[in-house]
Amino acid sequence: MRAVVQDRYGSPEVLRVGEIAQPVAGGNEVLVKVKAAGVDQGTWHLMAGEPKIVRLWIGLRAPRVRVSGRDVAGVVEAVGPGVTDFEVGDEVYGTCRSGSFAEYAVGRVDKLTRKPANLSFEQAAAVPVSGGTALQGTRGIRAGERVLVLGAAGGVGSYAVQLAKAAGAHVTGVCSTPKLDLVRELGADEALDYTRDELPAAAYDFILDTGGNRSLAILRRALKPKGRLVIIGSETSGLLGGMSRTLWAGLLSLFVGQQLKGLISSERAADYVELRDLIEAGQVKPAIDRTYTLDEAAEAIHHLRDGHPRGKLVITI
Ligand SMILES: NC(=O)c1ccc[n+]([C@@H]2O[C@H](COP(=O)([O-])OP(=O)(O)OC[C@H]3O[C@@H](n4cnc5c(N)ncnc54)[C@H](OP(=O)(O)O)[C@@H]3O)[C@@H](O)[C@H]2O)c1
């Protein structure tokens, strides 16, 4: 089958389309004929092997999984031993273990579920990692709370704005100038431009941080005295990337009235079911900047890193 493969860590130029063996579904796994695959910052991190500490888990010298992509939407082609919840022909979405920038991918049954009926495969592939992270990051938001989403037009942020609105919050989204319209379209009550607007002091019950790498001091100043901060991440360099800020947040939280924490998201079908319900109810919708072919995967990653996409990017197969 055709797949986007890499033999070493590096820039998007390490990606090439090659012919490799089709993966085989093992126990509690299904083989998916991939229709579309989502692109997110995690795809870049796995491709680049950055921050370097992640290589302890994904392969010291080269990636253990040579095919890029985790988000997948497609049709079940075969089911492995022990699978009872899926049948050949089911339209599914979720994440896969074998790499989704490929004609076929294998995924575990606890990371896949039925695709939202009102989404195309392209739209569905834009949901799992970013939507799942936003869902986990916005849990606990209550109706009437004032919520700030930093990076509101990004992959995670575009879902977080909609999820916080669905929870009944008053939402302010922070983004760059060309994306202010998108953030309002996503449902934000207010949109702030990070190139010129300051964050107001003691204004928010809840802050979800997905971009900008602001200091904890700045974030705490914008929170109310009993407010909560959830750090999802931001693109920074160094051995630990943005993880040191997250570690400090956890430590500081022990001594102050505000709750400060980082989130490491998990991939799970239960969240994709919850997202599907919200999507089918019309409360959440993916914002897609553009789609690419398998041969354009490197171009997609360049656009993700440098092109300031509006919402999500998707590879179609
Ligand atoms: N902890 C976890 O488990 C987890 C899971 C998923 C993602 N992440 C991390 O979380 C971060 C966000 O992921 P993503 O997929 O949403 O990335 P993304 O699509 O690149 O979105 C990040 C957004 O942040 C915006 N931004 C840049 N500077 C900003 C600033 N000063 N103030 C406010 N917004 C700013 C960017 O806008 P412009 O492009 O207009 O500058 C962009 O829209 C990434 O670092 C990713 O690696 C962590």
Side-chain angles (χ1 to χ4, degrees):
M1 67 168 187
R2 294 181 81 233
V4 176
V5 292
Q6 67 178 109
D7 303 311
R8 59 190 169 88
Y9 295 118
S11 65
E13 282 61 46
V14 300
L15 302 179
R16 64 183 169 80
V17 175
E19 280 290 333
I20 61 166
Q22 193 171 300
V24 176
N28 291 314
E29 290 184 335
V30 298
L31 176 70
V32 178
K33 182 167 175 43
V34 182
K35 298 283 189 183
V39 183
D40 68 271
Q41 293 291 354
T43 318
W44 178 84
H45 287 285
L46 295 175
M47 178 199 78
E50 296 288 348
K52 291 202 171 44
I53 195 150
V54 302
R55 299 186 190 192
L56 290 174
W57 293 277
I58 65 174
L60 275 184
R61 290 175 195 288
R64 271 193 286 272
V65 178
R66 288 173 60 227
V67 181
S68 300
R70 294 196 70 79
D71 280 336
V72 67
V75 179
V76 173
E77 179 84 5
V79 299
V83 174
T84 52
D85 298 348
F86 293 89
E87 287 177 9
V88 171
D90 285 351
E91 297 187 346
V92 295
Y93 86 127
T95 59
C96 57
R97 73 152 168 85
S98 66
S100 56
F101 295 3
E103 289 177 316
Y104 293 91
V106 157
R108 279 170 37 179
V109 291
D110 59 355
K111 293 178 190 283
L112 290 165
T113 189
R114 178 175 62 74
K115 175 179 86 62
N118 57 342
L119 292 191
S120 64
F121 287 108
E122 288 85 350
Q123 290 174 307
V127 177
V129 168
S130 298
T133 303
L135 186 72
Q136 291 160 32
T138 54
R139 281 204 199 285
I141 291 177
R142 294 180 288 269
E145 286 194 312
R146 296 191 85 86
V147 170
L148 181 73
V149 178
L150 298 161
V156 179
S158 57
Y159 291 104
V161 166
Q162 299 177 76
L163 291 165
K165 277 308 293 177
H170 179 281
V171 180
T172 302
V174 181
C175 61
S176 55
T177 319
K179 302 179 187 172
L180 289 165
D181 60 336
L182 172 62
V183 170
R184 290 195 193 95
E185 277 165 33
L186 291 168
D189 300 282
E190 295 174 46
L192 297 180
D193 181 341
Y194 72 70
T195 66
R196 56 168 195 245
D197 296 327
E198 292 285 319
L199 299 183
Y204 302 104
D205 299 290
F206 189 102
I207 298 179
L208 189 81
D209 184 4
T210 79
N213 198 32
R214 287 168 182 77
S215 68
L216 289 176
I218 290 176
L219 297 170
R220 287 190 58 212
R221 187 176 161 277
L223 269 186
K224 291 181 183 176
K226 297 280 180 196
R228 288 110 68 207
L229 166 69
V230 176
I231 299 173
I232 300 294
S234 57
E235 293 308 301
T236 51
S237 51
L239 178 70
L240 291 175
M243 285 186 236
S244 51
R245 197 170 55 122
T246 298
L247 295 174
W248 276 117
L251 193 61
L252 192 58
S253 197
L254 298 172
F255 304 101
V256 298
Q258 297 160 330
Q259 285 176 38
L260 318 168
K261 65 171 189 181
L263 175 92
I264 296 181
S265 63
S266 332
E267 298 166 7
R268 44 188 185 227
D271 288 342
Y272 309 146
V273 169
E274 203 172 328
L275 285 164
R276 183 182 67 214
D277 290 345
L278 289 160
I279 290 166
E280 291 182 344
Q283 290 185 288
V284 172
K285 192 177 163 190
I288 296 184
D289 180 287
R290 61 162 290 193
T291 61
Y292 294 83
T293 63
L294 263 192
D295 295 293
E296 296 169 329
E299 198 187 317
I301 307 261
H302 274 302
H303 185 42
L304 176 78
R305 299 294 292 176
D306 308 321
H308 301 281
R310 295 162 62 88
K312 297 281 304 172
L313 305 177
V314 174
I315 308 259
T316 55
I317 288 92

